Amino acid sequence: LTDGALGDDALADPLLETEALGVEWLRCGGKRLRPFVTVAAWALGRHGLDALAADADPQAMLGEPARALAVAIEALHKASLIHDDIADGDEFRYGRPTLHVSHGVGRAVNVGDWLVGLGYRLISAQADAIGAERVTAILARLASAQLTLSRGQGAELAWIGREGGGLRPVDALQIGALKTAPAFEVALFAGLCAADAEFNDALIRRFSTYLGEAYQVLNDLEDWQSDASNKVALGRDVLTGRPTILRAFATEAGRWDRLAEAAEATDPDRAVRAVRALYEDCGAFERARALVNGLRERCLVLAGDTRPEALGELLRFLTRTVLRERSTPRTGS
């Protein structure tokens, strides 16, 4: 990953601190879904259904280019999380203080920028191994994904604190798709393109859009499930005013005035309890879960239409794994 070895005291050396923090952040926490998508797409693209055999040797199937691409995808994802945490004012991630809380905003922004550079360098270094044309295609898709993600984050920030109840479910879904789908799409594309695999690009884009929309709705639901191990504040989206699908459903049900009144309570716990009761009363939680189920089914239908068969199996696995609801919002206080 780096130009030189990082010792235990690297954080104490100003010349090594950025690199040390970047590598530490890259290694810690997270589900690793996106790099997994890349290496799985590579393996299935190169070896077909043999990659799914019980006696398959994953290590033997993964060459150095696949490993480098996977690390690049994770580096770019982790960079986006650092920047998003700053923009959203989040204080904890992975059960520890966010980087801007522990080291300051300026240094956190710089570490995020370093991880972006690392990601692009790792990919460009694979030109000899997989061909300059494929590297160019992957870099172009990554650049497009980064622009789209930034548009989504910008749209979300523009909605925060916006007066009036104009947020529609389609707006919340579009923001979620812009923020989430590009990372899944480019992770799939990078692995398949590098492996010179056969795939329908339009289908991959559509699948990633449904997956990203559903994943964001699940995140909105899980915001209402306490997670002491990760120090997540229950219902934090109410306090930040993010444009979630739950807020959109409540607005559509004519509850905007009550929602705004509840969210403005001086006691944060009281505000969260009031909004929870409102969401339950208007069926926002149920509608969100139904939406996830519908989007999950769309993903599975597309997976069934995907050829070659090995790629369809991968899309089915991703749908089951990524869109598995880990918890349901608790009722009551």
Side-chain angles (χ1 to χ4, degrees):
L1 284 180
T2 63
D3 294 328
L6 294 177
D8 294 336
D9 59 349
L11 290 173
D13 186 338
L15 293 177
L16 295 177
E17 183 193 68
T18 296
E19 188 175 4
L21 286 173
V23 172
E24 178 188 24
W25 187 253
L26 183 59
R27 289 173 174 167
C28 77
K31 302 180 183 72
R32 315 290 190 191
L33 285 173
R34 293 154 190 84
F36 168 79
V37 169
T38 298
V39 295
W42 165 284
L44 288 164
R46 283 290 178 95
H47 305 284
L49 289 173
D50 289 343
L52 302 177
D55 59 349
D57 183 356
Q59 295 297 327
M61 291 183 175
L62 298 179
E64 181 58 32
R67 301 171 194 270
L69 288 174
V71 174
I73 292 295
E74 183 70 358
L76 290 160
H77 174 58
K78 287 291 181 66
S80 74
L81 294 182
I82 292 173
H83 293 157
D84 284 359
D85 285 343
I86 295 169
D88 297 340
D90 288 334
E91 297 182 353
F92 292 96
R93 186 177 289 277
Y94 308 136
R96 58 187 284 182
T98 47
L99 200 58
H100 69 278
V101 169
S102 61
H103 289 82
V105 171
R107 286 150 89 183
V109 169
N110 191 55
V111 171
D113 291 344
W114 183 86
L115 285 170
V116 171
L118 174 65
Y120 281 100
R121 188 185 74 176
L122 284 169
I123 294 168
S124 63
Q126 305 310 310
D128 289 341
I130 66 174
E133 186 175 347
R134 290 181 205 162
V135 163
T136 298
I138 293 170
L139 289 173
R141 186 63 64 96
L142 274 168
S144 177
Q146 191 165 353
L147 291 171
T148 301
L149 186 153
S150 297
R151 285 175 52 218
Q153 178 70 3
E156 179 177 282
L157 293 171
W159 270 105
I160 293 176
R162 187 170 176 175
E163 297 294 333
L167 182 70
R168 302 168 300 169
V170 67
D171 298 321
L173 274 179
Q174 186 175 25
I175 291 170
L178 289 172
K179 287 188 60 177
T180 311
F184 288 115
E185 178 193 324
V186 78
L188 271 169
F189 179 86
L192 293 170
C193 180
D196 195 22
E198 173 193 352
F199 64 98
N200 183 322
D201 196 23
L203 187 147
I204 291 297
R205 287 178 181 271
R206 199 157 63 249
F207 173 86
S208 299
T209 297
Y210 295 149
L211 191 73
E213 288 175 342
Y215 187 75
Q216 187 60 57
V217 175
L218 272 180
N219 280 346
D220 292 347
L221 283 167
E222 289 168 2
D223 183 61
W224 291 89
Q225 178 67 33
S226 60
D227 185 354
S229 66
N230 202 27
K231 299 184 180 180
V232 170
L234 187 67
R236 67 191 183 281
D237 284 344
V238 170
L239 307 178
T240 61
R242 282 186 57 243
T244 68
I245 193 68
L246 298 169
R247 173 180 162 187
F249 282 149
T251 299
E252 188 178 57
R255 312 298 175 88
W256 166 252
D257 291 340
R258 287 180 56 194
L259 182 61
E261 180 181 351
E264 290 174 359
T266 55
D267 180 357
D269 291 336
R270 182 179 179 183
V272 169
R273 288 195 299 270
V275 173
R276 175 190 289 284
L278 190 153
Y279 284 167
E280 290 173 347
D281 183 55
C282 71
F285 291 131
E286 289 75 11
R287 291 186 65 186
R289 284 191 285 270
L291 179 58
V292 171
N293 289 337
L295 290 167
R296 184 188 291 113
E297 184 59 30
R298 289 188 181 186
C299 288
L300 291 173
V301 169
L302 284 177
D305 293 337
T306 299
R307 296 294 180 271
E309 185 180 355
L311 180 55
E313 286 295 329
L314 172 61
L315 299 190
R316 274 189 285 272
F317 175 82
L318 292 177
T319 300
R320 292 192 299 267
T321 303
V322 174
L323 302 185
R324 183 181 66 251
E325 190 168 353
R326 289 162 286 281
S327 57
T328 56
R330 297 183 306 170
T331 58
S333 59

